[in-house]
Amino acid sequence: MDFNDDNYVDLIAGDRLGTINYFRRLANGDLTAEPDIIANGTTIDVGYNSAPMLVDWDEDGLLDLIVGNSDTSPLRIRLYLNSGTAANYTFTTYSEILCNGTPIALSRCIPHVTDLNNDGKKDLVCGEDYGHVYYYENTGTNANPIFNQQVMIEANGVPIAFPSGYTDTKVWCNDWNEDGTKDIILGNYMDSVHLYIAYPIGIAEHDPAILQGSVCAAPNPFTQSTQINYTIQHNAYVHLSIFDVQGRVIRDLVSREQTAGTYSVNWSGDDECSNKVVSGVYFYRLQVDDQMFMDKLVILQ
């Protein structure tokens, strides 16, 4: 990220001792070490294993700082709001990020801010010491995030949990396969990086407002065919597709402009070549203009 607003990408890194290192990018591409990040005129020290991320938390145009830590300081995710300028940060007293009114406390927490459920608001995803990944959906606004529920992220119905020795989960979210949803990349204490192709798991706002929750598939699970019903509130470009658990497109069912109204589309469990797909879990994704809904389908044969 460009930390000092000079159009060059800088580097902010946590370290074992709990401070936060700042490396400024020069015009020739080199990095030069600057003093560690400070707050209230003192070097920030979160105990051990600082895990920083810069993000405009309150949507005021300035990069703020969130920091996870290890188990030697109180287990908290600190939030330092930037009251300076884009070119010169000013961090003062920190607050703690809460879930349901209680500070989030995860050992060796590595926080990552992203819009995981595609509702236009920043959510929080955290890796931690025991190999799990936790999701906190934003039930507030983009400028004032509020978290009320902690969810352990699963893969194929089982909570992600790296075995002993492969813990200290590092997390990053990105649309790896460019299907419109955020996937999850995880590192760990040893030597491996894992890619999880994901789909939105929203809790508070799973349905885009334009759809008003009027999307469903029935029967589900199904054996022969299922009917996907949806309502759109105004004329829009509609794209309805079927994906497998690897994020691959199995079948495009609708891809065209549609007028406001209610629609029904049948899917017989076949791919683009009219071949029957195997039993298992699939996903249907409805995109209306720039808003999206996705849910699970199960085929039993």
Side-chain angles (χ1 to χ4, degrees):
M1 83 300 298
D2 182 7
F3 189 48
N4 60 345
D5 198 35
D6 63 356
N7 295 317
Y8 300 117
V9 178
D10 307 305
L11 176 65
I12 303 294
D15 64 23
R16 175 70 171 174
L17 298 179
T19 56
I20 302 171
N21 310 137
Y22 170 29
F23 299 92
R24 181 170 56 88
R25 181 82 60 181
L26 303 179
N28 64 2
D30 292 341
L31 289 170
T32 182
E34 297 290 335
D36 290 344
I37 303 297
I38 64 173
N40 284 327
T42 302
T43 299
I44 293 174
D45 184 352
V46 299
Y48 279 103
N49 298 312
S50 60
M53 182 175 185
L54 288 171
V55 62
D56 185 1
W57 186 263
D58 55 0
E59 297 296 314
D60 65 352
L62 302 176
L63 289 173
D64 307 305
L65 175 68
I66 65 170
V67 192
N69 67 359
S70 187
D71 53 5
T72 55
S73 181
L75 295 176
R76 300 289 188 264
I77 302 178
R78 296 185 182 186
L79 168 63
Y80 294 86
L81 293 177
N82 188 351
S83 58
T85 67
N88 293 285
Y89 75 92
T90 299
F91 297 134
T92 54
T93 304
Y94 67 86
S95 59
E96 295 171 342
I97 296 181
L98 310 179
C99 177
N100 200 25
T102 302
I104 297 173
L106 298 171
S107 180
R108 298 197 180 188
C109 177
I110 301 175
H112 179 75
V113 178
T114 185
D115 180 10
L116 190 62
N117 63 341
N118 290 323
D119 67 353
K121 300 185 298 185
K122 58 176 72 72
D123 306 307
L124 182 65
V125 181
C126 295
E128 49 87 59
D129 191 25
Y130 299 102
H132 303 115
V133 183
Y134 291 95
Y135 168 50
Y136 303 85
E137 183 176 9
N138 182 2
T139 60
T141 66
N142 201 36
N144 183 31
I146 297 174
F147 308 113
N148 291 323
Q149 186 172 2
Q150 172 182 283
V151 176
M152 188 180 292
I153 292 182
E154 299 181 347
N156 293 326
V158 178
I160 294 173
F162 288 119
S164 177
Y166 287 82
T167 53
D168 296 2
T169 310
K170 288 81 176 172
V171 60
W172 190 267
C173 300
N174 188 31
D175 186 2
W176 183 269
N177 59 351
E178 297 187 354
D179 67 350
T181 64
K182 295 288 179 63
D183 308 306
I184 299 179
I185 302 169
L186 300 179
N188 54 45
Y189 187 74
M190 299 295 284
D191 56 2
S192 54
V193 177
H194 301 256
L195 169 65
Y196 292 84
I197 300 297
Y199 69 100
I201 56 172
I203 298 166
E205 296 190 27
H206 189 69
D207 306 336
I210 189 174
L211 303 173
Q212 296 187 348
S214 54
V215 186
C216 66
N220 186 20
F222 71 96
T223 55
Q224 299 297 321
S225 66
T226 187
Q227 186 176 78
I228 302 172
N229 305 294
Y230 60 93
T231 300
I232 58 175
Q233 306 304 314
H234 58 71
N235 299 352
Y237 189 86
V238 176
H239 193 185
L240 176 62
S241 302
I242 307 295
F243 292 82
D244 65 12
V245 294
Q246 281 77 43
R248 297 172 297 196
V249 177
I250 299 300
R251 180 77 185 271
D252 282 322
L253 298 175
V254 178
S255 186
R256 62 179 180 274
E257 290 281 345
Q258 290 186 318
T259 57
T262 299
Y263 297 85
S264 297
V265 179
N266 289 313
W267 183 49
S268 300
D270 54 351
D271 62 18
E272 294 289 357
C273 298
S274 298
N275 299 314
K276 288 291 185 180
V277 300
V278 299
S279 299
V281 176
Y282 296 84
F283 304 98
Y284 63 99
R285 187 184 74 181
L286 178 66
Q287 184 169 352
V288 179
D289 288 338
D290 60 348
Q291 301 205 31
M292 189 180 304
F293 175 94
M294 182 178 280
D295 211 343
K296 184 186 301 183
L297 279 173
V298 179
I299 299 178
L300 302 176
Q301 295 179 353

